[in-house]
Amino acid sequence: MAKRKEYSIISFAGRINAGKSSLLNLLSGQKDFAIVDAQPGTTADTVIARMEIHGLGSIKVLDTAGIDEYSKLGEKKRKKTYEAVEESDLTFIVIDLLKNKDNKDFAIEKEVIKRALKHKSQVLIIYNIFSSKEPIEKITELENLANQKLGMGLPSFCLNALNGNKQKELVNFISTYFKKENQNIDLIPLKSGKGYVLLNIPMDEETPALRLLRPQDMAAEKLLRKYLIPVLFRMDLKKARSDNQAEKERFLNLVKHLRNSKEGLKLIITDSQAMDIVGKWTPQNIPLTTFSVMMANYMSGGNLNLFVKGLEAFSSLQDNDKILIMEICNHNRKCDDIGTKQIPRLIKEKLGLKLKIDFSFGRALPENLSKYKLALHCGGCMADRQKYGRRIVKLKEAGVPVTNYGLFLSWIHNPKAVKRVTKIFQR
Ligand SMILES: Nc1nc2c(ncn2[C@@H]2O[C@H](COP(=O)(O)OP(=O)(O)OP(=O)(O)O)[C@@H](O)[C@H]2O)c(=O)[nH]1
Ligand code: SF4
Ligand SMILES: [Mg+2]
C-alpha cells in the first residue's frame, strides 16, 4: 500500500479562460499536463495533479472549471470549483488583468475568496498578463487598482502564464506567502526512544489479504520512525467475546511480557470494534486508544474534543430524531458492517432509541444537513485531511454535532473509556 504522505493541496480558481490550466502547466514544468485551449470552458471538471516541486515538496494541484458560466451546467461546474477551493490549503485566484481592467467589483472572485477563507484555505492572487507589450508601470497601476477593488490585502503576483521562465518566480511567490499550518499533528504523540506499542488487529474473512489497513499501516510506520517497537497482535474476537480463557490468556500474557520487558509497554492501540474486550482486559494503568480515535485526532488537525463533545448529543436524542452516519469511501460491506449494522444496532439495543438513520457514503454530502441532530463520522482514513476538514466545517455550519465511530464504540460499552482512549492526545 502506498504510504500516506503529507502534502499540501493548491487550487487554481477564476473565470473561464483566465489561464488557470496554463498556470498548472507552468507550475508543473510540463506544457501539456492539463489541456489548454482558447475555447471557453475547456476545463469542465476539477483536474487533479500530484507533483513534487523543488522548493514546495509534495503537492496536489487542483485545476478547476471557470466560475462565470451561467447555465445549468455552469452551476454544476461552479459547485465543483467551490468544493475544490474549500478542500485546499492554498487557493490561487487567477485574474486576466487586462481583460478585467474595468471590472467594478470582482464580485465572483470575492465569493470564491470568501468560501476559501471560511474553510481556512489561504488565498493568493495571480494576475495573468496576456500581453507582453504593456509597459510595466501600466501593469503595476492596474494591479494596485485591482487589489484595491478586491480590498482584502491579499498578496498578488503578475506573470504571463505561458512564459515557462516564470516557474521559479511562481514557486518563490508560493514559498514566500504560503504558511503550511497544521501539517504537523503527531499521529501517535509518544516520545521517540525505547518501548513497545501493541497494535491489536483482529482479522475476519473480509480483511484484505497481503496488506494492513491504512491506519494500522500508518501507526506502524510512525512508531518505527520514532524507534519505538510496534508489536502486532491478532485477537480472535469471536473467541474473546465468548469469554474464551485461552484467548484472554494469550492477550494478557503478551501484555505482561511487554510490560515486564526492559523497554516497557508504552501504549496499546486496538481496532475500535474490539474495544468492548480490550477495554475490559487491559489493566487501567496501561495507556490505551483505538485506531479510529487516532485517525479522528489526526484528520481533524488535533480537534478531537469536537468529537468528544459530539457524544453529548446522545443525551438529548429522542425517538424519530434524524441522525447521519457518514463514511468517506464506499468500501465493500461485510455482513456485520460497523456503519450500517453495528452502530445502528448498538443505538437501538443499548440506548433504546428508535432513530431515523440516513447514510452518506462517498464524497458528496446530503443537501440539507441541518435536519440532523447528530452525525457519526468514520475515521476517514481514505481521505485527505483537507477533505475531511471540509466535511467537519459543513457540519459545524449547519449546527450538527459530530462524533466519530471509534469514540462512539468506546463510549457505548463504557462511557468512562472515552477519557481513557483520548488521554494520549490531550497533551
Ligand atoms: N498570451 C497569453 N495567452 C494565454 C496566457 N495564459 C493563457 N493563455 C491562453 O488563453 C487561453 C485559455 O487558457 P487556459 O489556461 O486554458 O485558461 P483556463 O482558465 O484554464 O480556461 P478554462 O479551462 O476554459 O476555464 C489559451 O488559449 C491559452 O493559450 C498568457 O499568459 N498569455
Ligand atoms: S474512509 Fe472511512 S469508511 Fe473508508 S475505510 Fe476509512 S474509515 Fe472506513
Ligand atoms: Mg482550464
Side-chain angles (χ1 to χ4, degrees):
M1 180 188 278
K3 281 275 174 291
R4 182 184 195 83
K5 202 167 178 191
E6 284 288 1
Y7 51 82
S8 304
I9 304 185
I10 297 178
S11 60
F12 290 105
R15 291 168 196 250
I16 291 167
N17 270 354
K20 305 176 292 298
S21 303
S22 305
L23 276 163
L24 164 73
N25 291 348
L26 177 70
L27 188 60
S28 72
Q30 296 178 50
K31 276 198 178 119
D32 50 3
F33 208 116
I35 301 176
V36 163
D37 200 274
Q39 169 99 20
T42 302
T43 310
D45 201 348
T46 304
V47 173
I48 302 172
R50 289 289 301 267
M51 48 186 97
E52 286 282 332
I53 304 280
H54 186 67
L56 293 180
S58 186
I59 55 173
K60 182 161 137 180
V61 184
L62 310 180
D63 177 23
T64 64
I67 45 174
D68 55 340
E69 186 179 324
Y70 298 102
S71 62
K72 252 193 168 164
L73 180 61
E75 182 59 40
K76 287 184 187 166
K77 292 181 182 176
R78 202 159 32 252
K79 207 171 152 208
K80 279 301 213 46
T81 298
Y82 289 157
E83 249 174 50
V85 163
E86 289 169 1
E87 286 171 9
S88 298
D89 299 299
L90 171 64
T91 298
F92 276 113
I93 304 293
V94 185
I95 297 174
D96 175 344
L97 189 61
L98 299 176
K99 206 198 268 169
N100 278 282
K101 63 181 187 308
D102 298 321
N103 196 325
K104 285 198 189 68
D105 57 5
F106 291 101
I108 30 180
E109 283 84 358
K110 281 182 186 163
E111 174 62 26
V112 183
I113 295 171
K114 196 178 89 190
R115 284 170 183 265
L117 295 177
K118 195 168 175 186
H119 287 262
K120 299 199 167 54
S121 172
Q122 286 179 56
V123 181
L124 299 175
I125 312 289
I126 294 221
Y127 293 115
N128 194 11
I129 314 296
F130 279 62
S131 161
S132 51
K133 291 185 192 122
E134 294 293 329
I136 185 81
E137 301 77 34
K138 172 88 178 152
I139 298 291
T140 309
E141 189 194 321
L142 289 176
E143 181 185 8
N144 290 339
L145 203 65
N147 277 341
Q148 255 177 39
K149 285 179 186 167
L150 280 166
M152 297 188 191
L154 298 166
S156 62
F157 184 55
C158 290
L159 55 62
N160 179 323
L162 296 188
N163 181 351
N165 297 329
K166 292 281 173 184
Q167 194 222 20
K168 206 163 169 226
E169 285 180 43
L170 178 60
V171 171
N172 284 345
F173 177 60
I174 300 174
S175 315
T176 307
Y177 290 104
F178 178 40
K179 291 174 196 68
K180 291 187 188 177
E181 282 176 280
N182 241 349
Q183 300 262 326
N184 292 323
I185 296 296
D186 196 352
L187 185 70
I188 304 172
L190 288 175
K191 280 201 192 109
S192 298
K194 285 192 296 191
Y196 290 103
V197 174
L198 180 56
L199 307 182
N200 181 35
I201 304 175
M203 291 174 164
D204 55 33
E205 320 73 57
E206 314 280 341
T207 306
L210 299 177
R211 65 178 173 90
L212 294 175
L213 298 181
R214 197 165 212 177
Q216 301 156 358
D217 184 51
M218 287 166 70
E221 190 268 349
K222 188 71 191 178
L223 295 169
L224 287 174
R225 198 170 282 277
K226 291 189 174 199
Y227 296 99
L228 293 160
I229 308 168
V231 177
L232 278 61
F233 176 80
R234 178 184 176 187
M235 179 176 280
D236 185 326
L237 255 187
K238 270 195 197 138
K239 281 188 184 167
R241 291 217 170 100
S242 63
D243 245 352
N244 180 300
Q245 284 309 301
E247 187 60 9
K248 187 171 181 180
E249 262 175 37
R250 205 169 65 85
F251 176 72
L252 289 180
N253 282 344
L254 177 61
V255 170
K256 194 168 153 197
H257 174 73
L258 298 175
R259 263 181 101 183
N260 294 341
S261 68
K262 209 161 71 195
E263 290 83 3
L265 175 59
K266 301 284 182 228
L267 174 68
I268 296 179
I269 310 178
T270 180
D271 185 303
S272 48
Q273 293 184 75
M275 194 49 205
D276 54 333
I277 303 296
V278 180
K280 253 187 336 207
W281 288 0
T282 306
Q284 283 297 325
N285 55 356
I286 298 178
L288 170 66
T289 192
T290 75
F291 288 110
S292 183
V293 172
M294 172 193 85
M295 289 306 290
N297 184 61
Y298 181 75
M299 298 296 285
S300 65
N303 210 352
L304 192 56
N305 284 336
L306 178 82
F307 299 98
V308 175
K309 206 161 168 24
L311 287 169
E312 291 171 10
F314 277 105
S315 61
S316 54
L317 285 182
Q318 296 179 350
D319 284 351
N320 294 319
D321 278 347
K322 274 197 167 174
I323 68 163
L324 182 65
I325 292 188
M326 309 167 73
E327 297 189 350
I328 284 190
C329 78
N330 218 334
H331 58 89
N332 285 344
R333 308 212 168 263
K334 54 185 182 180
C335 46
D336 200 26
D337 181 60
I338 305 189
T340 53
K341 297 282 185 320
Q342 291 186 36
I343 292 180
R345 188 173 65 235
L346 286 165
I347 288 175
K348 202 166 156 198
E349 287 174 3
K350 294 249 183 191
L351 303 178
L353 282 168
K354 289 190 192 108
L355 301 176
K356 293 197 168 138
I357 303 179
D358 284 350
F359 297 94
S360 161
F361 304 131
R363 58 173 295 147
L365 289 176
E367 281 295 324
N368 176 13
L369 285 173
S370 55
K371 65 184 172 203
Y372 297 110
K373 292 279 191 297
L374 173 68
L376 278 117
H377 206 300
C378 75
C381 67
M382 300 307 284
D384 297 320
R385 282 222 315 250
Q386 295 86 337
K387 194 188 291 290
Y388 190 85
R390 174 179 180 268
R391 294 161 74 92
I392 302 304
V393 169
K394 292 277 174 206
L395 289 166
K396 257 179 147 178
E397 258 175 27
V400 185
V402 57
T403 192
N404 150 277
Y405 281 15
L407 280 173
F408 171 80
L409 290 172
S410 302
W411 173 80
I412 197 85
H413 295 297
N414 174 9
K416 285 192 187 139
V418 173
K419 202 164 171 201
R420 190 174 186 192
V421 294
T422 53
K423 192 167 175 198
I424 180 174
F425 303 105
Q426 310 281 12
R427 296 174 177 180

